[in-house]
């Protein structure tokens, strides 16, 4: 049953909205509850389940919470960034190694790139190495994908890459970390026309919502280790053949902007009999200004001819656009292959900022159904007066972990369906 939330003066939602989900626990993370887009769970050597989270912005770097008992989460460690002009935002975990992305606010600043940590003792993470991606036209790394223990798939700038437009300053890089003390690039790919010196002309810009041509998520799965599924922001959905990691090749590109408002964020292959991709845009402006930002259901049975067949149903922007902050699609639970991750070929969980975390059944791709949601009330210290659920992870016990972008911290949930 949904609980209707009342409004404070100014329109702030005070109560939770919920359907087929219930709150098990809430942790404010010592008052530093702004979490970015990096969440993964470690099965520690002593048997504990440790949820690692990257922060949206300074001053904090990453936080670890013991969720062995999901009803009583306990903070294990919270670390600080070297300075305030950078962010971590993204991390990933394989076994007892964690990769953390570092992006600076301006070109040329350091540290910029990613770091590898030994987390075999979660209370005492130890730096193994730092991969430097700084440069005169680089802010470093925005997003890491690290699931096989051998390669980090990276959204990053580089010292030898000069973009043709300032918003195109990151591209896809493949980094070999089989020797974790000496990470080394083995391959790279960028959308032709985004680098100075390319023979292709510069790409057209969206007249109102120019998000840039650079990758965001760079997902590679054990079911198809020869494919990288990339959300390329205004470049749309990109699938690359990476069977030869030194020479990635374009398989297909689907772009829906314009007429839609761009910022393709995540491309999630479900590997089901329907050949389904879930592709999310990211809402990046408050108050519904860049609406619609959607989660698309795409038929990828013929990967060279991607066909959108539906979008995931959402509540009306007329209501949620006025609740404060952003409302629209963003992140997905990405069916990570680790031992603590829940995976489904037909159930999709996504985050929608002030629309909370939402669950969809896509077993009939032409008719996706919303089957559950959880929308927390406004966190007391939120500067925009609304929840902004930023990322979601589901563990193998079907426990859902959702995080707020600003002040709310961690919400531990249970699906009751």
């Amino acid at each position: 049953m949904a609980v209707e939330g009342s409004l404070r003066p100014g329109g702030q939602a005070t109560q939770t909205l919920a359907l087929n989900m219930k709150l098990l626990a809430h942790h404010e993370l010592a008052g530093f509850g702004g979490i970015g887009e990096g969440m993964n769970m470690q099965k520690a050597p002593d048997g504990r389940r440790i949820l690692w989270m990257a922060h949206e912005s300074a001053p904090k770097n990453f936080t670890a919470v013991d969720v062995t008992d999901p009803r009583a989460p306990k903070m294990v460690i919270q670390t600080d960034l070297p300075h305030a002009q950078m962010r971590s935002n993204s991390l990933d975990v394989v076994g007892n190694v964690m990769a953390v992305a570092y992006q600076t606010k301006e070109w040329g600043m350091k540290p910029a790139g990613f770091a590898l940590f030994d987390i075999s003792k979660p209370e005492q993470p130890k730096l193994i190495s730092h991969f430097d991606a700084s440069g005169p036209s680089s802010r470093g790394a925005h997003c890491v994908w690290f699931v096989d223990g051998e390669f980090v798939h990276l959204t990053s700038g580089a010292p030898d890459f000069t973009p043709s437009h300032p918003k195109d300053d990151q591209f896809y890089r493949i980094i070999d970390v089989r020797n974790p003390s000496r990470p080394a690039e083995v391959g790279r790919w960028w959308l032709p026309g985004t680098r100075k010196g390319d023979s292709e002309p510069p790409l057209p810009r969206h007249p109102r919502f120019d998000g840039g041509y650079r990758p965001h998520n760079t997902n590679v799965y054990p079911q198809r280790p020869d494919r990288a599924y990339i959300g390329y922001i205004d470049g749309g959905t990109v699938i690359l053949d990476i069977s030869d990691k030194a020479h990635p090749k374009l398989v297909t590109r689907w772009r829906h902007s314009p007429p839609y408002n761009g910022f393709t964020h995540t491309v999630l292959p479900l590997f089901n009999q329907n050949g389904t991709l879930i592709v999310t845009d990211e809402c990046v402006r408050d108050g519904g200004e860049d609406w619609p930002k959607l989660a698309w259901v795409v038929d990828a049975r013929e990967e060279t001819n991607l066909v959108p067949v539906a979008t995931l149903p959402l509540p009306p922007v007329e209501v949620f656009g006025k609740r404060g902050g952003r409302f629209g699609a963003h992140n997905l639970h990405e069916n990570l292959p680790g031992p603590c991750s829940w995976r489904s070929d037909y159930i999709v969980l996504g985050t929608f900022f002030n629309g909370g975390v939402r669950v969809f059944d896509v077993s009939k791709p032409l008719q996706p159904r919303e089957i559950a949601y959880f929308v927390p009330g406004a966190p007391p210290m939120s500067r925009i007066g609304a929840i902004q659920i930023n990322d979601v992870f589901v563990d193998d016990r079907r426990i859902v972990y959702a995080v707020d972008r600003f002040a709310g911290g961690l919400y531990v949930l249970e699906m009751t369906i």
Side-chain angles (χ1 to χ4, degrees), residues 17 21 312-315 320 327 348-352 354-360 370-375 392:
L17 306 175
M21 299 185 85
L312 301 183
L314 293 176
F320 279 80
F327 171 57
V348 174
L349 288 89
T351 61
F352 295 85
N354 71 25
V357 58
R358 294 179 175 266
V359 187
F360 305 90
E370 184 175 66
I371 57 175
Y373 56 77
F374 190 88
V375 186
V392 60

Side-chain angles (χ1 to χ4, degrees), residues 234-299:
D234 286 2
T237 296
V238 170
I239 301 178
L240 297 179
D241 180 344
I242 58 167
S243 53
D244 178 358
K245 290 182 172 60
H247 303 97
K249 296 178 181 179
L250 181 66
V251 174
T252 195
R253 181 163 81 99
W254 171 57
R255 183 184 177 211
H256 56 278
S257 168
Y260 287 88
N261 296 332
F263 224 100
T264 302
H265 186 280
T266 303
V267 180
L268 171 64
L270 295 182
F271 302 110
N272 58 32
Q273 64 182 4
N274 299 319
T276 306
L277 297 178
I278 305 298
V279 176
T280 62
D281 306 329
E282 181 185 356
C283 172
V284 296
R285 299 196 186 185
D286 292 348
E289 182 183 352
D290 59 348
W291 181 265
K293 289 302 180 74
L294 302 171
W296 303 82
V297 182
V298 178
D299 186 329

Side-chain angles (χ1 to χ4, degrees), residues 193-210:
T194 59
R195 188 194 67 162
K196 282 188 177 180
D198 283 354
S199 58
E200 297 81 1
L203 298 168
R205 321 304 296 190
H206 194 288
R208 289 189 59 208
F209 303 108
D210 179 8

Side-chain angles (χ1 to χ4, degrees), residues 128-366:
I128 299 171
S129 61
H130 175 74
F131 180 82
D132 184 15
S134 65
S137 299
S138 175
R139 294 174 294 148
H142 185 71
C143 189
V144 293
W145 178 266
F146 177 47
V147 300
D148 64 359
E150 297 187 351
F151 296 93
V152 170
H153 301 268
L154 193 64
T155 297
S156 176
D160 60 347
F161 186 92
T162 303
S164 56
H165 188 281
K167 291 186 176 181
D168 306 342
D169 62 345
Q170 293 172 330
F171 59 100
Y172 174 50
R173 305 179 70 182
I174 305 173
I175 313 300
D176 185 342
V177 295
R178 286 175 290 187
N179 180 351
S181 64
R182 297 181 64 86
E185 181 182 297
V186 295
R188 58 172 61 183
W189 187 90
W190 62 89
L191 196 59
T194 59
R195 188 194 67 162
K196 282 188 177 180
D198 283 354
S199 58
E200 297 81 1
L203 298 168
R205 321 304 296 190
H206 194 288
R208 289 189 59 208
F209 303 108
D210 179 8
Y213 291 91
R214 60 187 187 278
H216 197 283
N217 284 24
T218 58
N219 297 14
V220 179
Y221 290 89
Q223 296 94 323
R224 286 303 304 268
D226 61 339
R227 291 291 185 268
Y229 298 89
I230 301 176
Y232 218 93
I233 304 188
D234 286 2
T237 296
V238 170
I239 301 178
L240 297 179
D241 180 344
I242 58 167
S243 53
D244 178 358
K245 290 182 172 60
H247 303 97
K249 296 178 181 179
L250 181 66
V251 174
T252 195
R253 181 163 81 99
W254 171 57
R255 183 184 177 211
H256 56 278
S257 168
Y260 287 88
N261 296 332
F263 224 100
T264 302
H265 186 280
T266 303
V267 180
L268 171 64
L270 295 182
F271 302 110
N272 58 32
Q273 64 182 4
N274 299 319
T276 306
L277 297 178
I278 305 298
V279 176
T280 62
D281 306 329
E282 181 185 356
C283 172
V284 296
R285 299 196 186 185
D286 292 348
E289 182 183 352
D290 59 348
W291 181 265
K293 289 302 180 74
L294 302 171
W296 303 82
V297 182
V298 178
D299 186 329
R301 288 175 296 171
E302 175 47 69
E303 66 176 355
T304 61
N305 186 31
L306 303 183
V307 180
V309 296
T311 59
L312 301 183
L314 293 176
V317 67
E318 293 81 4
V319 176
F320 279 80
K322 299 176 182 178
R323 287 171 66 91
R326 303 177 181 184
F327 171 57
H330 188 206
N331 267 308
L332 299 169
H333 171 64
E334 295 171 283
N335 286 339
L336 293 165
C340 292
S341 177
W342 180 75
R343 292 175 287 278
S344 175
D345 290 334
Y346 297 101
I347 303 298
V348 174
L349 288 89
T351 61
F352 295 85
F353 295 112
N354 71 25
V357 58
R358 294 179 175 266
V359 187
F360 305 90
D361 181 342
V362 297
S363 57
K364 296 180 180 179
L366 299 177

